[in-house]
Amino acid sequence: MYEPAARNTGTHSGHAGELLPIWHLDPGRALFVGPLGHNAPHAHSIPVYLAGLYAPFRLRITNGTWQSCRTAVIPAGLPYEFDVEGQPLAVLYLEPREAGAGALIPLVRAAREEAGALVGADGELTLIRDLYEARDGALWVDAALDSLLAYAKPRARRPLDPRVARAVASLASGLEDQVRVADAARAVGLSPSRFQHLFAREVGVPYRRFRVWQRLRCAIGSIAAGDSFTDAAHRAGFFDQAHFARAFRHTFGAPASPSLRKVRRA
């Protein structure tokens, strides 16, 4: 596992409360680590790994019952909500070009299946907790995630259909190119209806929904780097800050400000 050369860490959850959240985005992954509250029902366009850094948290899948867990893997498109009551939570998002949800499963231990999700009483916590407690943690997120996923990814990789992979790469490389369904379908030689069916089967959510996620990624990355909410929203293709705010709340089940207003800079 990766170990930073010299890190200044807290020793328990009381110290963690003094730390700003971390938002990290790279081409294949995104990671949020920080205190959260109740996030209303929402669903992501890619699979996610949830980990309560210091204590279990409450989780509900679709319209099921509330349950206590320490870790979970939520597939793309599956609605869920959680309540961590102000405690730090790690949320790792895995892009389809990186690997599928199978790469996250080994991070969960003492697990059970719950309405399509994997819910665990334990899991991989130490590395992300060290990352959060390190004052310079934002500087070594890449190496930490490489280490976290090194074992699972080679065993979990399922290549995307090449046509879908091209559409995903196009969205990731330029938000202004081929963003419409008809344009994306034409670029890979499919009818719009066939393309939408294939994309949803391969990625887990419709193309339009995944396109919004890519715009959100762009805006979040810009804000985490220091841009204003308004500038970041325009750069990502949203009409204005309010449009971005609505998309963020719909996607994450909570407003953008608590997790993005103050973050640690790399």
Side-chain angles (χ1 to χ4, degrees):
M1 302 293 280
Y2 176 82
E3 290 291 340
R7 60 178 188 263
N8 176 19
T9 69
T11 57
H12 54 73
S13 59
H15 288 280
E18 303 168 3
L19 296 170
L20 293 176
I22 293 174
W23 258 114
H24 169 86
L25 298 97
D26 61 43
R29 306 162 304 200
L31 175 70
F32 172 82
V33 192
L36 291 173
H38 171 238
N39 280 37
H42 59 288
H44 292 294
S45 297
I46 54 178
V48 300
Y49 170 66
L50 309 174
L53 294 193
Y54 302 102
F57 60 95
R58 297 174 66 235
L59 177 71
R60 182 162 72 170
I61 309 298
T62 59
N63 294 318
T65 59
W66 283 99
Q67 55 194 296
S68 176
C69 66
R70 194 64 185 273
T71 60
V73 171
I74 314 294
L78 183 66
Y80 73 104
E81 64 181 306
F82 61 77
D83 190 351
V84 294
E85 299 180 337
Q87 291 296 309
L89 183 74
V91 189
L92 172 59
Y93 307 82
L94 204 58
E95 293 291 321
R97 62 193 296 180
E98 179 82 4
L104 299 174
I105 290 174
L107 305 181
V108 179
R109 292 196 289 270
R112 65 188 184 278
E113 194 275 337
E114 181 74 29
L118 191 66
V119 180
D122 198 1
E124 290 296 331
L125 302 165
T126 303
L127 187 60
I128 300 179
R129 190 164 53 217
D130 285 351
L131 178 77
Y132 180 61
E133 292 178 349
R135 297 291 177 177
D136 63 346
L139 298 175
W140 47 277
V141 179
D142 270 327
L145 294 182
D146 287 345
S147 179
L148 196 67
L149 296 170
Y151 173 79
K153 274 176 50 180
R155 295 160 178 79
R157 186 177 296 277
R158 181 183 67 84
L160 289 173
D161 181 286
R163 294 162 294 185
V164 172
R166 285 171 57 191
V168 167
S170 177
L171 281 176
S173 63
L175 294 173
E176 299 304 320
D177 296 331
Q178 300 175 358
V179 295
R180 296 186 306 165
V181 169
D183 293 333
R186 187 180 305 112
V188 297
L190 294 173
S191 69
S193 60
R194 173 59 182 155
F195 171 76
Q196 290 183 84
H197 174 79
L198 181 64
F199 192 96
R201 188 190 72 188
E202 290 287 299
V203 176
V205 295
Y207 176 82
R208 290 185 178 89
R209 188 164 170 182
F210 187 79
R211 180 181 63 190
V212 173
W213 166 245
Q214 294 302 307
R215 285 177 170 164
L216 282 169
R217 271 181 56 93
C218 177
I220 291 167
S222 295
I223 294 168
D227 285 352
S228 71
F229 278 56
T230 298
D231 289 345
H234 288 153
R235 183 173 292 108
F238 293 102
F239 297 126
D240 50 29
Q241 182 179 337
H243 184 202
F244 162 72
R246 289 192 298 272
F248 190 100
R249 182 183 283 275
H250 178 77
T251 299
F252 293 94
S257 292
S259 67
L260 276 169
R261 183 64 67 184
K262 293 182 179 181
V263 297
R264 271 183 268 178
R265 308 283 184 227

